[in-house]
Amino acid sequence: RKEVEQDPGPFNVPEGATVAFNCTYSNSASQSFFWYRQDCRKEPKLLMSVYSSGNEDGRFTAQLNRASQYISLLIRDSKLSDSATYLCVVNEWAAGNKLTFGGGTRVLVKP
Amino acid sequence: DVKVTQSSRYLVKRTGEKVFLECVQDMDHENMFWYRQDPGLGLRLIYFSYDVKMKEKGDIPEGYSVSREKKERFSLILESASTNQTSMYLCASSSRTALLEKLFFGSGTQLSVL
């Protein structure tokens, strides 16, 4: 089983709609969580950290469910520019700050 | 803005060749990393370095080596390239004083080994 798993998609989303997707992690010792965004043929860039209480950044909301070992990302009022691959990243502090990346979820926002 | 520069965007090499991938960052970051990215597998850590002349193996170090002679430069070496090393290679850096998780990536090198 992969340490960090994501539905590869693609999620085809009408412009203006809401889309949400999850990322599951296998190691319960994982201690911090992040979403990175990667545009086609570009490098990944940090989108947002995921806090225990959940957090929002504009149209983006991230949630953490430790009991079920998953994190989620919700995008409201989708824009064409939100089309990208979203990478889930899990950090295990006890393993020396080892970052483990998921395979990514592709989102396509269409007019 | 942090700039992480990788020497080549595309490389084509032959099986058995020695390949050097260079990465330079301009923000005096202590930490530097080499990842490879393959469809469906995510980014996998090859090697990393937390200081000059220091290196640590990541998850998939076999077939690779690294060099960090200067703080700003981290080189990835494929001693004898093989076809299964065809991949996108991404270099990243981060500051020790900041959250480790904020990685700044270079634009990547697409390596094809024929």
Side-chain angles (χ1 to χ4, degrees):
Chain A
R1 183 185 171 189
K2 289 183 184 176
E3 293 181 50
V4 180
E5 289 200 73
Q6 296 183 250
D7 182 337
F11 284 63
N12 294 300
V13 185
E15 193 175 8
T18 295
V19 61
F21 42 89
N22 295 337
C23 162
T24 58
Y25 60 94
S26 59
N27 189 343
S28 59
S30 300
Q31 292 172 292
S32 51
F33 309 87
F34 309 87
W35 286 104
Y36 275 70
R37 171 196 170 123
Q38 186 173 25
D39 294 308
C40 189
R41 302 185 190 281
K42 299 281 189 179
E43 71 274 20
K45 294 183 180 178
L46 181 65
L47 177 67
M48 60 195 301
S49 303
V50 185
Y51 303 128
S52 296
S53 54
N55 50 300
E56 255 184 50
D57 183 1
R59 297 180 293 106
F60 296 83
T61 301
Q63 298 277 359
L64 167 63
N65 185 318
R66 283 194 184 274
S68 301
Q69 295 185 204
Y70 72 88
I71 65 171
S72 63
L73 183 66
L74 181 145
I75 308 173
R76 283 186 303 278
D77 188 23
S78 298
K79 311 291 184 192
L80 297 177
S81 58
D82 294 334
S83 296
T85 297
Y86 292 85
L87 303 173
C88 168
V89 184
V90 173
N91 187 6
E92 300 170 29
W93 298 349
N97 270 323
K98 178 188 170 187
L99 292 175
T100 303
F101 284 76
T105 295
R106 191 168 171 215
V107 173
L108 295 173
V109 182
K110 301 187 174 181
Chain B
D1 274 357
V2 174
K3 192 166 184 184
V4 180
T5 304
Q6 294 184 229
S7 53
S8 304
R9 186 72 178 93
Y10 298 97
L11 269 182
V12 180
K13 296 292 182 181
R14 295 203 176 274
T15 301
E17 279 193 76
K18 190 168 185 176
V19 181
F20 293 86
L21 302 182
E22 305 287 347
C23 175
V24 178
Q25 49 93 5
D26 65 0
M27 283 299 292
D28 202 34
H29 281 171
E30 294 83 7
N31 310 319
M32 296 190 75
F33 307 82
W34 274 106
Y35 290 88
R36 63 178 283 177
Q37 185 174 28
D38 301 287
L41 295 178
L43 276 77
R44 292 179 292 165
L45 182 62
I46 305 171
Y47 267 97
F48 60 99
S49 169
Y50 289 149
D51 205 346
V52 176
K53 296 193 186 293
M54 175 269 178
K55 59 186 179 184
E56 293 285 345
K57 291 180 180 180
D59 296 319
I60 51 164
E62 296 78 20
Y64 303 94
S65 61
V66 290
S67 171
R68 192 157 181 210
E69 296 296 317
K70 294 184 178 181
K71 190 176 185 181
E72 67 271 18
R73 185 179 298 269
F74 192 36
S75 303
L76 180 70
I77 303 149
L78 286 66
E79 295 290 342
S80 176
S82 62
T83 53
N84 63 13
Q85 292 179 309
T86 291
S87 186
M88 170 66 78
Y89 290 87
L90 287 157
C91 174
S93 72
S94 69
S95 169
R96 184 179 296 154
T97 58
L99 285 174
L100 175 68
E101 299 80 7
K102 185 161 186 178
L103 296 175
F104 295 88
F105 284 89
S107 55
T109 296
Q110 179 63 53
L111 173 66
S112 297
V113 182
L114 306 178

